[in-house]
Amino acid sequence: MSLLETIRGPRDLKALPEDQLGRLAAEIREFLVRAVTRTGGHLGPNLGVVELSIALHRVFDSPTDRILWDTGHQSYVHKLLTGRQDFSKLRGKGGLSGYPSRDESEHDVIENSHASTVLGWADGLAKADEVLGRTDRHVVAVIGDGALTGGMAWEALNNIAAAKDRPLIIVVNDNERSYAPTIGGLANHLATLRTTDGYERVLAWGKDVLQRTPVVGQHIYGSLHGAKKGFKDTFAPQGMFEDLGLKYVGPVDGHDIAAVESALRRARRFHGPVLIHCITAKGRGYRPALEDEADRFHTVGAMDPLTCQPLSPSGGPSWTSVFGDEMVRIGSERPDVVALTAAMLHPVGLGPFAERFPHRVWDVGIAEQHAAVSAAGLATGGLHPVFAVYATFLNRAFDQLLMDVALHRCGVTFVLDRAGVTGTDGPSHNGMWDLSILQVVPGLRIAAPRDADQLRAQLREAVDVDDAPTVVRFPKESVGEPIPAVSRVGGMDVLREAPDGADVLLVAVGAMAPVALAAAELLAERAVRCTVVDPRWVKPVDAALPALAARHRAVAVVEDSSRNGGVGSAVAQALRDAAVDLPVRTFGIPERFLPHAKRGEVLADIGLTPVEIAAGIGAVLGHGRVSRQRGSAAEDARVHARPTETLAESPVETTAESRRQAPDHASSGAGEHTMESRESRR
């Protein structure tokens, strides 16, 4: 049995002799490389925190002591040391989350995994302990140096330092990187601290020599020791932290368990806020990771650990790569187009643009709010900025998009990668809120391309807008085959035509076009005639849509975003405004946090499949279990007396097995049925 297999919790770790800790660290790294390359996940960050994680759990008593991780992708070793060693389904359905999870363990506290929040959590927990008189526990916040580029971290530091007698321990895991190398003034400051340990050697030499000097040596050394703070400020200007009121310890070799334990024990005894600066190497112990200059294997897919080749063939070009290539083409044609990223230059596809136009791209660190405001300034200054960001992270910059960009009518394009269901990264990373949140922004225009050709075309249309913000959104998956339009109505592409008097107008939002077309095929087999349209720009609703809808018996909207306040809601409102009285069925993401699993598995679990969409539409038209005669006042009353999720007389929560057994069942968690007549609106 390996040492790692004997560790079922922190108590087992504390009982391990010190001379065995190096062996344990090696076993953990071997385990991580073997397990994470099999499933995919965050490899480089966890290889870098092995010794730090061991030291934390030897010095502190989790879960009584709260150990908080920012960001959570560096918590794999923490999971191993707290009894979770089955990584066989890491980030997969039914397996361990790739981030801390309260459902998994009492040792996990924060699970949202949006960076730069841990110090705010720590501040609140420490204040709660103070108010409630708890003196038998500690709060320890581990924050990566990349997360310190976020403004929220510094807002929290300002508050933490204000209470000089409130114990709280901050561990800065300084590996010079978030995804790519950390940049900016803070990064330069930490680099200075990393490279100026010479003063300690000088002081040690002076102590040795002077204390052996007769008569005057001891007095001279005492004077020099009193000037140590001055030496530190000269050679290692950690004064930035100490001037805030934080006791600074370090730099400490984060791969020396004894040194880290010593620093943590000293901090634990101190009755005030302490910052421990640990130097670590991302990807440590795995040569391919250390040699990867892009991101040190920050995230890997399933691959051969020896050759680093993917275990399964690529499904074709990704949406991200198509965006990145088109940005280079646009940049070569338009010198006014510039780009911004928030610590994710390569993940969002801006690497090629940066190589071609290095002076026209800015990585602002983990600071989405700043990026949005800076983009407003760039636009006002005569440029057209493209801010590429994960859809889930745009939530953090909503106020700036609203008040700084939209209010000032700035021509800024926001490109939302990982929109909709992302899958394996779990609830905090699904980009499922953007189409709901952004609906309320005046003047904003949102494009949802269905294929690579449309992504290229709509990106160009977006950067041509210079008097309002624009958004282009796409999912995390392979882009798929082109889907040609058979005609155009207004600005909408018609993907499938049905004659006048057809049954259903099916509105397909972006990447859901193939699903909608497949649902239309299934309905055709049941003699239900569908027109399928891609609105291309989903905000504002195309002016031609109400008239087109009026030639049908019902409208259905399929979107990979929240069905509350999303495109379906906007379409229903547009029909009401145009006095087009039709039932509208929205198929989208239910209002709940979705567990981690593959994108396709999540979509199936929430009912965003052709079979369930066809069944839901059939129910609206009376082809399923639930029949409704249009214009029935009694039915209207029944509908409005019940929650929208149960309109099809089936529970929201349905199992995959029940769906397979009853494919014509009328409802799923993804469907929302809105039927408002003019009579009921009064």
Side-chain angles (χ1 to χ4, degrees):
M1 177 180 288
S2 68
L3 275 181
L4 178 58
E5 290 174 309
T6 68
I7 306 298
R8 296 301 176 187
R11 288 184 180 178
D12 296 329
L13 180 64
K14 294 176 188 294
L16 202 65
E18 289 186 15
D19 61 2
Q20 295 292 301
L21 298 179
R23 176 184 162 192
L24 175 63
E27 288 185 5
I28 290 174
R29 286 198 169 89
E30 182 181 353
F31 175 93
L32 289 173
V33 171
R34 183 176 66 252
V36 179
T37 57
R38 184 182 302 123
T39 63
H42 292 93
L43 182 57
N46 290 286
L47 292 172
V49 296
V50 174
E51 290 84 4
L52 173 58
S53 301
I54 291 172
L56 283 166
H57 278 291
R58 281 174 58 83
V59 172
F60 296 99
D61 296 315
S62 178
T64 301
D65 293 330
R66 308 294 188 90
I67 301 176
L68 318 175
W69 297 89
D70 187 339
T71 60
H73 62 234
Q74 59 182 333
S75 65
Y76 290 10
V77 184
H78 162 78
K79 288 175 183 274
L80 290 172
L81 298 176
T82 52
R84 288 165 282 174
Q85 297 185 11
D86 181 3
F87 274 46
S88 60
K89 294 191 289 184
L90 176 68
R91 305 201 311 162
K93 190 173 183 178
L96 291 178
S97 167
Y99 298 95
S101 171
R102 290 180 174 183
D103 288 340
E104 286 180 10
S105 173
E106 62 182 345
H107 296 279
D108 292 359
V109 181
I110 309 173
E111 57 182 77
N112 73 29
S113 303
H114 282 198
S116 310
T117 63
V118 71
L119 299 184
W121 275 88
D123 180 53
L125 285 167
K127 287 174 177 173
D129 287 343
E130 181 179 59
V131 170
L132 297 175
R134 299 190 189 110
T135 59
D136 60 343
R137 62 166 57 179
H138 298 83
V139 177
V140 186
V142 184
I143 183 167
D145 61 323
L148 278 177
T149 62
M152 286 186 293
W154 291 92
E155 293 172 17
L157 280 172
N158 185 52
N159 281 270
I160 289 169
K164 307 206 183 309
D165 59 349
R166 183 183 301 132
L168 193 159
I169 299 163
I170 301 167
V171 179
V172 176
N173 173 31
D174 180 4
N175 63 18
E176 306 179 61
R177 290 169 173 264
S178 46
Y179 282 81
T182 307
I183 53 90
L186 173 67
N188 292 336
H189 177 80
L190 292 178
T192 301
L193 294 178
R194 282 193 296 270
T195 57
T196 52
D197 58 350
Y199 82 93
E200 292 284 6
R201 290 195 298 270
V202 170
L203 196 64
W205 171 83
K207 177 180 180 180
D208 180 62
V209 172
L210 292 173
Q211 286 189 334
R212 286 188 284 107
T213 302
V215 185
V216 298
Q218 188 65 40
H219 296 289
I220 295 175
Y221 171 74
S223 299
L224 288 176
H225 186 71
K228 181 178 180 181
K229 177 65 166 63
F231 278 113
K232 279 191 173 183
D233 285 345
T234 300
F235 292 103
Q238 74 276 16
M240 176 175 65
F241 296 116
E242 292 193 341
D243 288 347
L244 275 174
L246 298 170
K247 181 67 175 176
Y248 175 88
V249 177
V252 178
D253 180 355
H255 300 298
D256 183 334
I257 296 176
V260 177
E261 282 193 25
S262 175
L264 291 172
R265 293 185 194 282
R266 280 182 284 147
R268 189 179 62 178
R269 292 192 296 268
F270 189 69
H271 299 290
V274 181
L275 185 145
I276 301 173
H277 181 191
C278 286
I279 310 300
T280 64
K282 189 174 183 178
R284 183 180 176 92
Y286 185 40
R287 183 176 295 277
L290 293 173
E291 293 176 348
D292 178 41
E293 286 301 318
D295 64 5
R296 300 281 173 87
F297 281 13
H298 180 85
T299 308
V300 299
M303 68 179 191
D304 185 305
L306 298 178
T307 66
C308 300
Q309 294 301 306
L311 294 182
S312 57
S314 170
S318 66
W319 290 88
T320 305
S321 65
V322 173
F323 159 69
D325 292 343
E326 193 62 22
M327 272 294 290
V328 173
R329 295 188 187 95
I330 293 172
S332 65
E333 299 166 13
R334 288 187 48 176
D336 65 313
V337 171
V338 296
L340 298 98
T341 176
M344 294 186 180
L345 184 74
H346 294 283
V348 297
L350 286 177
F353 188 90
E355 291 177 11
R356 182 76 175 273
F357 311 108
H359 301 297
R360 288 162 54 187
V361 60
W362 294 275
D363 183 344
V364 302
I366 302 176
E368 292 85 0
Q369 293 171 296
H370 168 68
V373 178
S374 181
L378 287 165
T380 301
L383 300 174
H384 189 103
V386 175
F387 176 25
V389 60
Y390 285 9
T392 183
F393 297 141
L394 184 68
N395 301 347
R396 312 177 79 169
F398 173 77
D399 183 68
Q400 289 69 36
L401 189 158
L402 180 67
M403 293 298 172
D404 295 287
V405 180
L407 176 63
H408 294 84
R409 299 183 178 88
C410 295
V412 176
T413 296
F414 295 85
V415 173
L416 306 189
D417 201 329
R418 274 75 164 170
V421 171
T422 57
T424 55
D425 279 328
S428 66
H429 279 56
N430 287 311
M432 56 184 278
W433 295 282
D434 58 302
L435 291 183
S436 299
I437 293 172
L438 299 178
Q439 287 289 342
V440 300
V441 179
L444 177 71
R445 310 176 199 184
I446 304 176
R450 67 180 180 270
D451 58 25
D453 292 342
Q454 286 302 305
L455 172 53
R456 297 184 188 100
Q458 290 179 263
L459 179 61
R460 287 177 175 272
E461 293 169 24
V463 298
D464 281 342
V465 177
D466 61 4
D467 60 351
T470 53
V471 170
V472 180
R473 74 186 303 269
F474 48 79
K476 178 187 179 182
E477 63 176 353
S478 299
V479 73
E481 296 297 323
I483 303 172
V486 297
S487 65
R488 178 164 285 198
V489 176
M492 301 179 294
D493 280 348
V494 180
L495 307 182
R496 179 189 176 98
E497 285 187 311
D500 285 351
D503 296 301
V504 178
L505 175 63
L506 187 49
V507 181
V509 176
M512 298 307 293
V515 176
L517 286 168
E521 288 288 342
L522 293 174
L523 287 165
E525 295 173 3
R526 297 162 59 182
V528 177
R529 297 166 298 173
C530 286
T531 301
V532 181
V533 296
D534 170 13
R536 302 184 73 251
W537 290 84
V538 297
K539 174 181 165 55
V541 174
D542 195 286
L545 190 143
L548 178 62
R551 304 204 297 266
H552 298 75
R553 293 174 54 201
V555 176
V557 180
V558 181
E559 55 185 309
D560 60 340
S561 61
S562 174
R563 68 187 185 201
N564 292 336
V567 177
S569 296
V571 167
Q573 183 64 52
L575 296 184
R576 289 193 293 268
D577 291 344
V580 175
D581 184 23
L582 290 175
V584 178
R585 181 73 182 263
T586 297
F587 296 89
I589 300 174
E591 189 179 330
R592 65 174 184 262
F593 293 107
L594 305 177
H596 59 276
K598 293 179 180 178
R599 173 178 160 87
E601 292 173 330
V602 175
L603 292 175
D605 285 343
I606 60 177
L608 285 178
T609 65
V611 169
E612 296 208 44
I613 291 168
I617 293 172
V620 175
L621 297 172
H623 291 257
R625 282 188 58 191
V626 177
S627 174
R628 177 181 186 268
Q629 295 180 355
R630 292 180 61 200
S632 166
E635 179 65 15
D636 278 346
R638 184 177 70 83
V639 167
H640 286 283
R642 300 166 57 196
T644 58
E645 290 85 351
T646 61
L647 286 168
E649 296 185 343
S650 68
V652 176
E653 302 292 342
T654 58
T655 66
E657 184 62 30
S658 67
R659 287 195 297 272
R660 285 194 294 271
Q661 293 173 352
D664 289 340
H665 206 278
S667 176
S668 74
E672 177 180 345
H673 190 177
T674 305
M675 300 180 189
E676 282 196 287
S677 67
R678 286 188 290 273
E679 191 68 24
S680 66
R681 286 200 299 275
R682 288 198 295 271

